[in-house]
Structures are given as structure tokens and as C-alpha cells.
Amino acid sequence: MTPTPWGSPPTHDYYCGTPYLGDQGQTINDVITGIIFFGTRLYMQSTSNASGEADSTALVVLNTRAVGGYKSVSEMLKPDAKMLWGNQLTFLHIPIPNLTVAESSDPLNFIWKAHQLIKRKRNSFAFHLTSMFLETLRRLRGPQAASWYVYNSFKNTSTVISNLIGPVEKLALANHPVSGMYYTVVGSPQDLTITMVSYMGKLWVAMAMEKSFINSHKLKACIEDAYEMVLKTAIQKSSPQGAAGN
């Protein structure tokens, strides 16, 4: 068997958490991605002002099968199925917005800016073109060639964000109830990997950070601070006093 490019994982620190997200007027994906971007900018600014203003790009991995809706396994396994079995992947290069002084005190503006960037990229033709290219590459040259292309794309970025839609009902393994779950990517070449999965109405987030390069405790604290700031601002603006002030 030919080895895949994912065979030698660097040493990483891992962090897992379950944030609570109220109604922010956007999708959960947009909100949590915006919070991660916001926390990343806070971390970069705490490292140095210059790095806080540097151009940064995140690779967001998406499943295009969601575009056409989800079908049952039996329907997807039919020979004439319009919706194929398995994940149909694509990825988008999303520039992480710069953090202004005003947005430090009103982070919802930063979340909205990140949402607009993601929406514009998601509605572009590149969203579908990348998926078509990966599928064509897999059919013509095999899964190994497609794997190398994805690996090289990951290698040219510092941060990868991915998410999955998980079960909505409670699972059990050997009659033991599953209270929560996480997933992550092992052996990926980038410095920071953030993965998310929904389970029973909760969002479970895991982060893998390269040791000796990223201060895992500081980054974790910055993302937690970003979450608290966004949640506090959203609650204030949704209250009658906050709405009257706006």
C-alpha cells in the first residue's frame, strides 16, 4: 500500500470544549467561525501588534453534499442516486478580518464582517469548482493523487477549520450512553486545526495546536474571552435597554 502524505503527525496540544450559543441572528457555523477568528486575532495582538495586523488566511473545509440536502443511506447507495454516498469535500480560503479598535469593544461587528466574507466566498463559483476538480482528480488519477492535492493545500495554510453535522438523537456504545463527542485530524501539516461537530443540539469544539510554536493556554484563553465578549454584547443588545440605546 502506498503511504499517504498524512503519515507523520507533528506533536500537538489538544483542547476540547462545548460553548453555548444563543440566538445571534446568523447560523451557528458563522457565529462560531467568527468567534474563532476573533479569538485568533486577540491571540495575535497579545503576541505582538504587528502580527495582529498581519494578513492571515484560514482554510475552511466544507461538505458540498449538504448543498443538495441529506438522503438516507439506502437512497444514496442506489446506482442511479443523484446524491452520492460519502462526503463531497471542498475548501475555501477565507481571509481572517483585521481587528479594529471599535470592534474590540463591539465584537458583533467583527462577527458580521466575518460572516459577509464567508458568505461571499461560499456563493462564488470557486466553491463548486474545487469540489468538481477533486472528484475529477480522484476518478482520473485515483484517491492518492487527490489526497496529495488536499495535503499540499493544507500545507500552504496555517489554520484549518472543519465541521460536521452529528447525530440529533442520543447514541450508545455497548449499552453505554454517549454524552458527547469530538473529532480531529491526525497528521495534518498546519499549525492549528479546529474541528466542530454537533450532537444532540450542542456544539463540540476541538483544537489541535503545534507545540513550541503556539502557546496553547494563551490561545485557549483568547478564544474563551472572545466567546464571552460576543455573548455578553449579544445579550446587552437584545435586552430592551440595549435595543433602545442602539
Side-chain angles (χ1 to χ4, degrees), residues 59-97:
L59 191 71
V60 180
V61 183
L62 302 169
N63 183 9
T64 58
R65 188 159 60 90
V67 174
Y70 283 88
K71 304 292 183 182
S72 65
V73 175
S74 59
E75 288 177 309
M76 289 187 288
L77 291 178
K78 293 179 179 178
D80 58 345
K82 295 182 179 179
M83 192 64 61
L84 299 177
W85 165 251
N87 292 325
Q88 310 298 315
L89 297 179
T90 188
F91 39 79
L92 299 175
H93 292 85
I94 307 294
I96 300 178

PDB file of all heavy atoms in Angstrom, residues 59-97:
ATOM      1  N   LEU A  59      -8.189  28.086   6.082  1.00  0.00           N
ATOM      2  CA  LEU A  59      -8.763  27.148   5.118  1.00  0.00           C
ATOM      3  C   LEU A  59      -9.974  26.502   5.780  1.00  0.00           C
ATOM      4  O   LEU A  59      -9.832  25.789   6.779  1.00  0.00           O
ATOM      5  CB  LEU A  59      -7.742  26.084   4.713  1.00  0.00           C
ATOM      6  CG  LEU A  59      -8.117  25.207   3.520  1.00  0.00           C
ATOM      7  CD1 LEU A  59      -8.053  26.018   2.233  1.00  0.00           C
ATOM      8  CD2 LEU A  59      -7.170  24.015   3.420  1.00  0.00           C
ATOM      9  N   VAL A  60     -11.155  26.765   5.250  1.00  0.00           N
ATOM     10  CA  VAL A  60     -12.396  26.227   5.795  1.00  0.00           C
ATOM     11  C   VAL A  60     -12.840  25.066   4.922  1.00  0.00           C
ATOM     12  O   VAL A  60     -13.087  25.233   3.731  1.00  0.00           O
ATOM     13  CB  VAL A  60     -13.493  27.306   5.869  1.00  0.00           C
ATOM     14  CG1 VAL A  60     -14.782  26.724   6.445  1.00  0.00           C
ATOM     15  CG2 VAL A  60     -13.023  28.484   6.718  1.00  0.00           C
ATOM     16  N   VAL A  61     -12.902  23.869   5.508  1.00  0.00           N
ATOM     17  CA  VAL A  61     -13.285  22.658   4.778  1.00  0.00           C
ATOM     18  C   VAL A  61     -14.793  22.481   4.885  1.00  0.00           C
ATOM     19  O   VAL A  61     -15.360  22.540   5.980  1.00  0.00           O
ATOM     20  CB  VAL A  61     -12.559  21.425   5.340  1.00  0.00           C
ATOM     21  CG1 VAL A  61     -12.910  20.181   4.521  1.00  0.00           C
ATOM     22  CG2 VAL A  61     -11.048  21.649   5.337  1.00  0.00           C
ATOM     23  N   LEU A  62     -15.431  22.259   3.742  1.00  0.00           N
ATOM     24  CA  LEU A  62     -16.885  22.156   3.685  1.00  0.00           C
ATOM     25  C   LEU A  62     -17.299  20.867   2.991  1.00  0.00           C
ATOM     26  O   LEU A  62     -16.555  20.311   2.187  1.00  0.00           O
ATOM     27  CB  LEU A  62     -17.486  23.349   2.936  1.00  0.00           C
ATOM     28  CG  LEU A  62     -17.167  24.739   3.500  1.00  0.00           C
ATOM     29  CD1 LEU A  62     -17.598  25.803   2.531  1.00  0.00           C
ATOM     30  CD2 LEU A  62     -17.842  24.936   4.844  1.00  0.00           C
ATOM     31  N   ASN A  63     -18.502  20.418   3.290  1.00  0.00           N
ATOM     32  CA  ASN A  63     -19.087  19.243   2.652  1.00  0.00           C
ATOM     33  C   ASN A  63     -20.168  19.711   1.693  1.00  0.00           C
ATOM     34  O   ASN A  63     -21.223  20.176   2.115  1.00  0.00           O
ATOM     35  CB  ASN A  63     -19.670  18.301   3.707  1.00  0.00           C
ATOM     36  CG  ASN A  63     -20.235  17.028   3.106  1.00  0.00           C
ATOM     37  OD1 ASN A  63     -20.049  16.752   1.918  1.00  0.00           O
ATOM     38  ND2 ASN A  63     -20.913  16.248   3.919  1.00  0.00           N
ATOM     39  N   THR A  64     -19.918  19.613   0.388  1.00  0.00           N
ATOM     40  CA  THR A  64     -20.881  20.118  -0.592  1.00  0.00           C
ATOM     41  C   THR A  64     -22.103  19.227  -0.715  1.00  0.00           C
ATOM     42  O   THR A  64     -23.070  19.606  -1.370  1.00  0.00           O
ATOM     43  CB  THR A  64     -20.229  20.255  -1.980  1.00  0.00           C
ATOM     44  OG1 THR A  64     -19.720  18.976  -2.390  1.00  0.00           O
ATOM     45  CG2 THR A  64     -19.096  21.248  -1.950  1.00  0.00           C
ATOM     46  N   ARG A  65     -22.076  18.037  -0.103  1.00  0.00           N
ATOM     47  CA  ARG A  65     -23.266  17.193  -0.147  1.00  0.00           C
ATOM     48  C   ARG A  65     -24.433  17.864   0.562  1.00  0.00           C
ATOM     49  O   ARG A  65     -25.592  17.583   0.276  1.00  0.00           O
ATOM     50  CB  ARG A  65     -22.967  15.836   0.514  1.00  0.00           C
ATOM     51  CG  ARG A  65     -24.079  14.829   0.345  1.00  0.00           C
ATOM     52  CD  ARG A  65     -23.566  13.407   0.547  1.00  0.00           C
ATOM     53  NE  ARG A  65     -22.998  13.186   1.859  1.00  0.00           N
ATOM     54  CZ  ARG A  65     -23.705  12.764   2.907  1.00  0.00           C
ATOM     55  NH1 ARG A  65     -24.983  12.536   2.792  1.00  0.00           N
ATOM     56  NH2 ARG A  65     -23.102  12.567   4.058  1.00  0.00           N
ATOM     57  N   ALA A  66     -24.130  18.772   1.470  1.00  0.00           N
ATOM     58  CA  ALA A  66     -25.198  19.490   2.167  1.00  0.00           C
ATOM     59  C   ALA A  66     -25.939  20.436   1.242  1.00  0.00           C
ATOM     60  O   ALA A  66     -27.053  20.844   1.526  1.00  0.00           O
ATOM     61  CB  ALA A  66     -24.619  20.269   3.348  1.00  0.00           C
ATOM     62  N   VAL A  67     -25.306  20.826   0.108  1.00  0.00           N
ATOM     63  CA  VAL A  67     -25.947  21.748  -0.813  1.00  0.00           C
ATOM     64  C   VAL A  67     -27.223  21.150  -1.372  1.00  0.00           C
ATOM     65  O   VAL A  67     -28.235  21.821  -1.542  1.00  0.00           O
ATOM     66  CB  VAL A  67     -24.981  22.123  -1.961  1.00  0.00           C
ATOM     67  CG1 VAL A  67     -25.673  22.974  -3.005  1.00  0.00           C
ATOM     68  CG2 VAL A  67     -23.775  22.848  -1.402  1.00  0.00           C
ATOM     69  N   GLY A  68     -27.211  19.856  -1.679  1.00  0.00           N
ATOM     70  CA  GLY A  68     -28.380  19.201  -2.253  1.00  0.00           C
ATOM     71  C   GLY A  68     -29.266  18.535  -1.231  1.00  0.00           C
ATOM     72  O   GLY A  68     -30.224  17.863  -1.597  1.00  0.00           O
ATOM     73  N   GLY A  69     -28.949  18.651   0.036  1.00  0.00           N
ATOM     74  CA  GLY A  69     -29.741  18.029   1.078  1.00  0.00           C
ATOM     75  C   GLY A  69     -29.227  16.643   1.426  1.00  0.00           C
ATOM     76  O   GLY A  69     -28.466  16.035   0.674  1.00  0.00           O
ATOM     77  N   TYR A  70     -29.660  16.129   2.565  1.00  0.00           N
ATOM     78  CA  TYR A  70     -29.212  14.824   3.045  1.00  0.00           C
ATOM     79  C   TYR A  70     -30.257  13.766   2.736  1.00  0.00           C
ATOM     80  O   TYR A  70     -31.457  13.990   2.874  1.00  0.00           O
ATOM     81  CB  TYR A  70     -28.927  14.876   4.548  1.00  0.00           C
ATOM     82  CG  TYR A  70     -27.619  15.545   4.862  1.00  0.00           C
ATOM     83  CD1 TYR A  70     -27.552  16.918   5.042  1.00  0.00           C
ATOM     84  CD2 TYR A  70     -26.449  14.821   4.936  1.00  0.00           C
ATOM     85  CE1 TYR A  70     -26.345  17.556   5.313  1.00  0.00           C
ATOM     86  CE2 TYR A  70     -25.234  15.434   5.199  1.00  0.00           C
ATOM     87  CZ  TYR A  70     -25.201  16.784   5.393  1.00  0.00           C
ATOM     88  OH  TYR A  70     -24.002  17.411   5.652  1.00  0.00           O
ATOM     89  N   LYS A  71     -29.791  12.595   2.320  1.00  0.00           N
ATOM     90  CA  LYS A  71     -30.658  11.469   1.996  1.00  0.00           C
ATOM     91  C   LYS A  71     -30.305  10.301   2.907  1.00  0.00           C
ATOM     92  O   LYS A  71     -29.252  10.273   3.545  1.00  0.00           O
ATOM     93  CB  LYS A  71     -30.486  11.055   0.530  1.00  0.00           C
ATOM     94  CG  LYS A  71     -30.732  12.186  -0.467  1.00  0.00           C
ATOM     95  CD  LYS A  71     -32.182  12.604  -0.502  1.00  0.00           C
ATOM     96  CE  LYS A  71     -32.421  13.677  -1.555  1.00  0.00           C
ATOM     97  NZ  LYS A  71     -33.827  14.132  -1.576  1.00  0.00           N
ATOM     98  N   SER A  72     -31.186   9.306   2.935  1.00  0.00           N
ATOM     99  CA  SER A  72     -30.907   8.110   3.715  1.00  0.00           C
ATOM    100  C   SER A  72     -29.800   7.304   3.042  1.00  0.00           C
ATOM    101  O   SER A  72     -29.526   7.464   1.845  1.00  0.00           O
ATOM    102  CB  SER A  72     -32.171   7.258   3.851  1.00  0.00           C
ATOM    103  OG  SER A  72     -32.560   6.765   2.574  1.00  0.00           O
ATOM    104  N   VAL A  73     -29.172   6.398   3.813  1.00  0.00           N
ATOM    105  CA  VAL A  73     -28.089   5.585   3.271  1.00  0.00           C
ATOM    106  C   VAL A  73     -28.578   4.717   2.135  1.00  0.00           C
ATOM    107  O   VAL A  73     -27.924   4.572   1.096  1.00  0.00           O
ATOM    108  CB  VAL A  73     -27.457   4.720   4.387  1.00  0.00           C
ATOM    109  CG1 VAL A  73     -26.418   3.770   3.814  1.00  0.00           C
ATOM    110  CG2 VAL A  73     -26.846   5.600   5.468  1.00  0.00           C
ATOM    111  N   SER A  74     -29.767   4.117   2.293  1.00  0.00           N
ATOM    112  CA  SER A  74     -30.304   3.239   1.247  1.00  0.00           C
ATOM    113  C   SER A  74     -30.539   4.005  -0.050  1.00  0.00           C
ATOM    114  O   SER A  74     -30.300   3.478  -1.141  1.00  0.00           O
ATOM    115  CB  SER A  74     -31.607   2.596   1.726  1.00  0.00           C
ATOM    116  OG  SER A  74     -32.563   3.592   2.055  1.00  0.00           O
ATOM    117  N   GLU A  75     -30.963   5.260   0.042  1.00  0.00           N
ATOM    118  CA  GLU A  75     -31.192   6.063  -1.165  1.00  0.00           C
ATOM    119  C   GLU A  75     -29.873   6.414  -1.847  1.00  0.00           C
ATOM    120  O   GLU A  75     -29.767   6.399  -3.071  1.00  0.00           O
ATOM    121  CB  GLU A  75     -31.947   7.348  -0.806  1.00  0.00           C
ATOM    122  CG  GLU A  75     -33.400   7.121  -0.434  1.00  0.00           C
ATOM    123  CD  GLU A  75     -34.095   8.403  -0.023  1.00  0.00           C
ATOM    124  OE1 GLU A  75     -33.551   9.111   0.850  1.00  0.00           O
ATOM    125  OE2 GLU A  75     -35.159   8.711  -0.578  1.00  0.00           O
ATOM    126  N   MET A  76     -28.834   6.719  -1.060  1.00  0.00           N
ATOM    127  CA  MET A  76     -27.557   7.126  -1.639  1.00  0.00           C
ATOM    128  C   MET A  76     -26.786   5.956  -2.247  1.00  0.00           C
ATOM    129  O   MET A  76     -25.919   6.153  -3.093  1.00  0.00           O
ATOM    130  CB  MET A  76     -26.692   7.813  -0.569  1.00  0.00           C
ATOM    131  CG  MET A  76     -27.209   9.184  -0.169  1.00  0.00           C
ATOM    132  SD  MET A  76     -26.085  10.071   0.944  1.00  0.00           S
ATOM    133  CE  MET A  76     -26.316   9.137   2.452  1.00  0.00           C
ATOM    134  N   LEU A  77     -27.095   4.732  -1.830  1.00  0.00           N
ATOM    135  CA  LEU A  77     -26.395   3.563  -2.360  1.00  0.00           C
ATOM    136  C   LEU A  77     -26.998   3.036  -3.655  1.00  0.00           C
ATOM    137  O   LEU A  77     -26.442   2.129  -4.268  1.00  0.00           O
ATOM    138  CB  LEU A  77     -26.376   2.449  -1.309  1.00  0.00           C
ATOM    139  CG  LEU A  77     -25.496   2.705  -0.072  1.00  0.00           C
ATOM    140  CD1 LEU A  77     -25.607   1.554   0.912  1.00  0.00           C
ATOM    141  CD2 LEU A  77     -24.038   2.919  -0.471  1.00  0.00           C
ATOM    142  N   LYS A  78     -28.125   3.588  -4.087  1.00  0.00           N
ATOM    143  CA  LYS A  78     -28.728   3.155  -5.340  1.00  0.00           C
ATOM    144  C   LYS A  78     -27.852   3.570  -6.524  1.00  0.00           C
ATOM    145  O   LYS A  78     -27.213   4.620  -6.493  1.00  0.00           O
ATOM    146  CB  LYS A  78     -30.122   3.771  -5.485  1.00  0.00           C
ATOM    147  CG  LYS A  78     -31.134   3.252  -4.463  1.00  0.00           C
ATOM    148  CD  LYS A  78     -32.486   3.927  -4.649  1.00  0.00           C
ATOM    149  CE  LYS A  78     -33.499   3.391  -3.637  1.00  0.00           C
ATOM    150  NZ  LYS A  78     -34.821   4.064  -3.771  1.00  0.00           N
ATOM    151  N   PRO A  79     -27.796   2.731  -7.583  1.00  0.00           N
ATOM    152  CA  PRO A  79     -26.934   3.044  -8.737  1.00  0.00           C
ATOM    153  C   PRO A  79     -27.260   4.373  -9.403  1.00  0.00           C
ATOM    154  O   PRO A  79     -26.373   5.056  -9.903  1.00  0.00           O
ATOM    155  CB  PRO A  79     -27.189   1.872  -9.690  1.00  0.00           C
ATOM    156  CG  PRO A  79     -27.692   0.762  -8.811  1.00  0.00           C
ATOM    157  CD  PRO A  79     -28.458   1.426  -7.717  1.00  0.00           C
ATOM    158  N   ASP A  80     -28.539   4.737  -9.434  1.00  0.00           N
ATOM    159  CA  ASP A  80     -28.946   5.976 -10.097  1.00  0.00           C
ATOM    160  C   ASP A  80     -29.149   7.125  -9.114  1.00  0.00           C
ATOM    161  O   ASP A  80     -29.852   8.094  -9.413  1.00  0.00           O
ATOM    162  CB  ASP A  80     -30.237   5.744 -10.893  1.00  0.00           C
ATOM    163  CG  ASP A  80     -31.371   5.239  -9.998  1.00  0.00           C
ATOM    164  OD1 ASP A  80     -31.082   4.806  -8.866  1.00  0.00           O
ATOM    165  OD2 ASP A  80     -32.536   5.280 -10.449  1.00  0.00           O
ATOM    166  N   ALA A  81     -28.519   7.026  -7.952  1.00  0.00           N
ATOM    167  CA  ALA A  81     -28.715   8.052  -6.923  1.00  0.00           C
ATOM    168  C   ALA A  81     -28.136   9.386  -7.371  1.00  0.00           C
ATOM    169  O   ALA A  81     -27.029   9.455  -7.901  1.00  0.00           O
ATOM    170  CB  ALA A  81     -28.071   7.611  -5.613  1.00  0.00           C
ATOM    171  N   LYS A  82     -28.915  10.448  -7.187  1.00  0.00           N
ATOM    172  CA  LYS A  82     -28.434  11.793  -7.508  1.00  0.00           C
ATOM    173  C   LYS A  82     -27.519  12.325  -6.412  1.00  0.00           C
ATOM    174  O   LYS A  82     -26.665  13.171  -6.664  1.00  0.00           O
ATOM    175  CB  LYS A  82     -29.619  12.732  -7.704  1.00  0.00           C
ATOM    176  CG  LYS A  82     -30.503  12.382  -8.909  1.00  0.00           C
ATOM    177  CD  LYS A  82     -31.631  13.379  -9.062  1.00  0.00           C
ATOM    178  CE  LYS A  82     -32.492  13.039 -10.281  1.00  0.00           C
ATOM    179  NZ  LYS A  82     -33.618  13.996 -10.436  1.00  0.00           N
ATOM    180  N   MET A  83     -27.714  11.839  -5.200  1.00  0.00           N
ATOM    181  CA  MET A  83     -26.899  12.249  -4.066  1.00  0.00           C
ATOM    182  C   MET A  83     -25.981  11.088  -3.691  1.00  0.00           C
ATOM    183  O   MET A  83     -26.433  10.046  -3.246  1.00  0.00           O
ATOM    184  CB  MET A  83     -27.777  12.627  -2.868  1.00  0.00           C
ATOM    185  CG  MET A  83     -27.034  13.330  -1.752  1.00  0.00           C
ATOM    186  SD  MET A  83     -26.364  14.915  -2.262  1.00  0.00           S
ATOM    187  CE  MET A  83     -27.871  15.766  -2.706  1.00  0.00           C
ATOM    188  N   LEU A  84     -24.665  11.235  -3.927  1.00  0.00           N
ATOM    189  CA  LEU A  84     -23.719  10.158  -3.742  1.00  0.00           C
ATOM    190  C   LEU A  84     -23.463   9.884  -2.270  1.00  0.00           C
ATOM    191  O   LEU A  84     -23.580  10.764  -1.416  1.00  0.00           O
ATOM    192  CB  LEU A  84     -22.402  10.480  -4.448  1.00  0.00           C
ATOM    193  CG  LEU A  84     -22.479  10.684  -5.967  1.00  0.00           C
ATOM    194  CD1 LEU A  84     -21.107  11.076  -6.495  1.00  0.00           C
ATOM    195  CD2 LEU A  84     -22.986   9.419  -6.657  1.00  0.00           C
ATOM    196  N   TRP A  85     -23.090   8.644  -1.979  1.00  0.00           N
ATOM    197  CA  TRP A  85     -22.720   8.254  -0.621  1.00  0.00           C
ATOM    198  C   TRP A  85     -21.365   8.849  -0.260  1.00  0.00           C
ATOM    199  O   TRP A  85     -20.465   8.928  -1.078  1.00  0.00           O
ATOM    200  CB  TRP A  85     -22.664   6.742  -0.522  1.00  0.00           C
ATOM    201  CG  TRP A  85     -21.966   6.243   0.705  1.00  0.00           C
ATOM    202  CD1 TRP A  85     -20.751   5.637   0.763  1.00  0.00           C
ATOM    203  CD2 TRP A  85     -22.435   6.323   2.045  1.00  0.00           C
ATOM    204  NE1 TRP A  85     -20.431   5.323   2.062  1.00  0.00           N
ATOM    205  CE2 TRP A  85     -21.441   5.738   2.878  1.00  0.00           C
ATOM    206  CE3 TRP A  85     -23.586   6.837   2.636  1.00  0.00           C
ATOM    207  CZ2 TRP A  85     -21.580   5.643   4.248  1.00  0.00           C
ATOM    208  CZ3 TRP A  85     -23.724   6.751   4.008  1.00  0.00           C
ATOM    209  CH2 TRP A  85     -22.736   6.160   4.799  1.00  0.00           C
ATOM    210  N   GLY A  86     -21.215   9.257   0.974  1.00  0.00           N
ATOM    211  CA  GLY A  86     -19.942   9.787   1.436  1.00  0.00           C
ATOM    212  C   GLY A  86     -19.870  11.299   1.360  1.00  0.00           C
ATOM    213  O   GLY A  86     -20.729  11.961   0.774  1.00  0.00           O
ATOM    214  N   ASN A  87     -18.830  11.842   1.949  1.00  0.00           N
ATOM    215  CA  ASN A  87     -18.633  13.281   1.949  1.00  0.00           C
ATOM    216  C   ASN A  87     -18.101  13.755   0.602  1.00  0.00           C
ATOM    217  O   ASN A  87     -17.247  13.111   0.003  1.00  0.00           O
ATOM    218  CB  ASN A  87     -17.652  13.694   3.054  1.00  0.00           C
ATOM    219  CG  ASN A  87     -18.238  13.485   4.433  1.00  0.00           C
ATOM    220  OD1 ASN A  87     -19.430  13.660   4.629  1.00  0.00           O
ATOM    221  ND2 ASN A  87     -17.417  13.085   5.381  1.00  0.00           N
ATOM    222  N   GLN A  88     -18.611  14.863   0.119  1.00  0.00           N
ATOM    223  CA  GLN A  88     -18.123  15.507  -1.104  1.00  0.00           C
ATOM    224  C   GLN A  88     -17.465  16.815  -0.658  1.00  0.00           C
ATOM    225  O   GLN A  88     -18.140  17.786  -0.365  1.00  0.00           O
ATOM    226  CB  GLN A  88     -19.285  15.769  -2.074  1.00  0.00           C
ATOM    227  CG  GLN A  88     -20.169  14.548  -2.321  1.00  0.00           C
ATOM    228  CD  GLN A  88     -19.419  13.389  -2.949  1.00  0.00           C
ATOM    229  OE1 GLN A  88     -18.654  13.588  -3.901  1.00  0.00           O
ATOM    230  NE2 GLN A  88     -19.626  12.190  -2.435  1.00  0.00           N
ATOM    231  N   LEU A  89     -16.149  16.805  -0.591  1.00  0.00           N
ATOM    232  CA  LEU A  89     -15.435  17.888   0.077  1.00  0.00           C
ATOM    233  C   LEU A  89     -15.031  19.002  -0.872  1.00  0.00           C
ATOM    234  O   LEU A  89     -14.771  18.789  -2.054  1.00  0.00           O
ATOM    235  CB  LEU A  89     -14.179  17.346   0.765  1.00  0.00           C
ATOM    236  CG  LEU A  89     -14.392  16.322   1.878  1.00  0.00           C
ATOM    237  CD1 LEU A  89     -13.051  15.875   2.426  1.00  0.00           C
ATOM    238  CD2 LEU A  89     -15.266  16.873   2.984  1.00  0.00           C
ATOM    239  N   THR A  90     -14.978  20.188  -0.319  1.00  0.00           N
ATOM    240  CA  THR A  90     -14.351  21.330  -0.964  1.00  0.00           C
ATOM    241  C   THR A  90     -13.776  22.195   0.155  1.00  0.00           C
ATOM    242  O   THR A  90     -14.014  21.941   1.341  1.00  0.00           O
ATOM    243  CB  THR A  90     -15.348  22.127  -1.814  1.00  0.00           C
ATOM    244  OG1 THR A  90     -14.650  23.124  -2.573  1.00  0.00           O
ATOM    245  CG2 THR A  90     -16.398  22.810  -0.956  1.00  0.00           C
ATOM    246  N   PHE A  91     -13.006  23.185  -0.213  1.00  0.00           N
ATOM    247  CA  PHE A  91     -12.478  24.074   0.819  1.00  0.00           C
ATOM    248  C   PHE A  91     -12.357  25.484   0.262  1.00  0.00           C
ATOM    249  O   PHE A  91     -12.219  25.697  -0.941  1.00  0.00           O
ATOM    250  CB  PHE A  91     -11.122  23.592   1.358  1.00  0.00           C
ATOM    251  CG  PHE A  91     -10.188  23.032   0.333  1.00  0.00           C
ATOM    252  CD1 PHE A  91      -9.449  23.862  -0.489  1.00  0.00           C
ATOM    253  CD2 PHE A  91     -10.047  21.663   0.181  1.00  0.00           C
ATOM    254  CE1 PHE A  91      -8.584  23.350  -1.433  1.00  0.00           C
ATOM    255  CE2 PHE A  91      -9.180  21.133  -0.759  1.00  0.00           C
ATOM    256  CZ  PHE A  91      -8.448  21.977  -1.571  1.00  0.00           C
ATOM    257  N   LEU A  92     -12.452  26.433   1.168  1.00  0.00           N
ATOM    258  CA  LEU A  92     -12.409  27.846   0.821  1.00  0.00           C
ATOM    259  C   LEU A  92     -11.295  28.524   1.610  1.00  0.00           C
ATOM    260  O   LEU A  92     -11.109  28.251   2.799  1.00  0.00           O
ATOM    261  CB  LEU A  92     -13.748  28.529   1.142  1.00  0.00           C
ATOM    262  CG  LEU A  92     -14.986  28.016   0.415  1.00  0.00           C
ATOM    263  CD1 LEU A  92     -16.223  28.713   0.951  1.00  0.00           C
ATOM    264  CD2 LEU A  92     -14.862  28.251  -1.089  1.00  0.00           C
ATOM    265  N   HIS A  93     -10.570  29.411   0.950  1.00  0.00           N
ATOM    266  CA  HIS A  93      -9.569  30.234   1.629  1.00  0.00           C
ATOM    267  C   HIS A  93     -10.262  31.517   2.091  1.00  0.00           C
ATOM    268  O   HIS A  93     -10.666  32.346   1.273  1.00  0.00           O
ATOM    269  CB  HIS A  93      -8.405  30.552   0.691  1.00  0.00           C
ATOM    270  CG  HIS A  93      -7.578  29.350   0.345  1.00  0.00           C
ATOM    271  ND1 HIS A  93      -7.912  28.494  -0.675  1.00  0.00           N
ATOM    272  CD2 HIS A  93      -6.433  28.857   0.905  1.00  0.00           C
ATOM    273  CE1 HIS A  93      -7.004  27.525  -0.744  1.00  0.00           C
ATOM    274  NE2 HIS A  93      -6.102  27.717   0.193  1.00  0.00           N
ATOM    275  N   ILE A  94     -10.404  31.658   3.408  1.00  0.00           N
ATOM    276  CA  ILE A  94     -11.114  32.798   3.988  1.00  0.00           C
ATOM    277  C   ILE A  94     -10.108  33.715   4.673  1.00  0.00           C
ATOM    278  O   ILE A  94      -9.422  33.288   5.614  1.00  0.00           O
ATOM    279  CB  ILE A  94     -12.173  32.344   5.013  1.00  0.00           C
ATOM    280  CG1 ILE A  94     -13.108  31.298   4.408  1.00  0.00           C
ATOM    281  CG2 ILE A  94     -12.953  33.549   5.536  1.00  0.00           C
ATOM    282  CD1 ILE A  94     -13.968  31.808   3.293  1.00  0.00           C
ATOM    283  N   PRO A  95      -9.980  34.959   4.228  1.00  0.00           N
ATOM    284  CA  PRO A  95      -9.093  35.890   4.937  1.00  0.00           C
ATOM    285  C   PRO A  95      -9.662  36.244   6.313  1.00  0.00           C
ATOM    286  O   PRO A  95     -10.840  36.576   6.432  1.00  0.00           O
ATOM    287  CB  PRO A  95      -9.056  37.114   4.012  1.00  0.00           C
ATOM    288  CG  PRO A  95     -10.319  37.038   3.210  1.00  0.00           C
ATOM    289  CD  PRO A  95     -10.628  35.575   3.056  1.00  0.00           C
ATOM    290  N   ILE A  96      -8.834  36.127   7.337  1.00  0.00           N
ATOM    291  CA  ILE A  96      -9.280  36.481   8.684  1.00  0.00           C
ATOM    292  C   ILE A  96      -9.324  38.005   8.783  1.00  0.00           C
ATOM    293  O   ILE A  96      -8.315  38.673   8.555  1.00  0.00           O
ATOM    294  CB  ILE A  96      -8.335  35.901   9.742  1.00  0.00           C
ATOM    295  CG1 ILE A  96      -8.293  34.375   9.625  1.00  0.00           C
ATOM    296  CG2 ILE A  96      -8.767  36.317  11.141  1.00  0.00           C
ATOM    297  CD1 ILE A  96      -7.341  33.711  10.600  1.00  0.00           C
ATOM    298  N   PRO A  97     -10.498  38.583   9.103  1.00  0.00           N
ATOM    299  CA  PRO A  97     -10.604  40.049   9.142  1.00  0.00           C
ATOM    300  C   PRO A  97      -9.646  40.661  10.161  1.00  0.00           C
ATOM    301  O   PRO A  97      -9.361  40.062  11.202  1.00  0.00           O
ATOM    302  CB  PRO A  97     -12.066  40.284   9.545  1.00  0.00           C
ATOM    303  CG  PRO A  97     -12.768  39.002   9.244  1.00  0.00           C
ATOM    304  CD  PRO A  97     -11.758  37.922   9.436  1.00  0.00           C
TER     305      PRO A  97
END
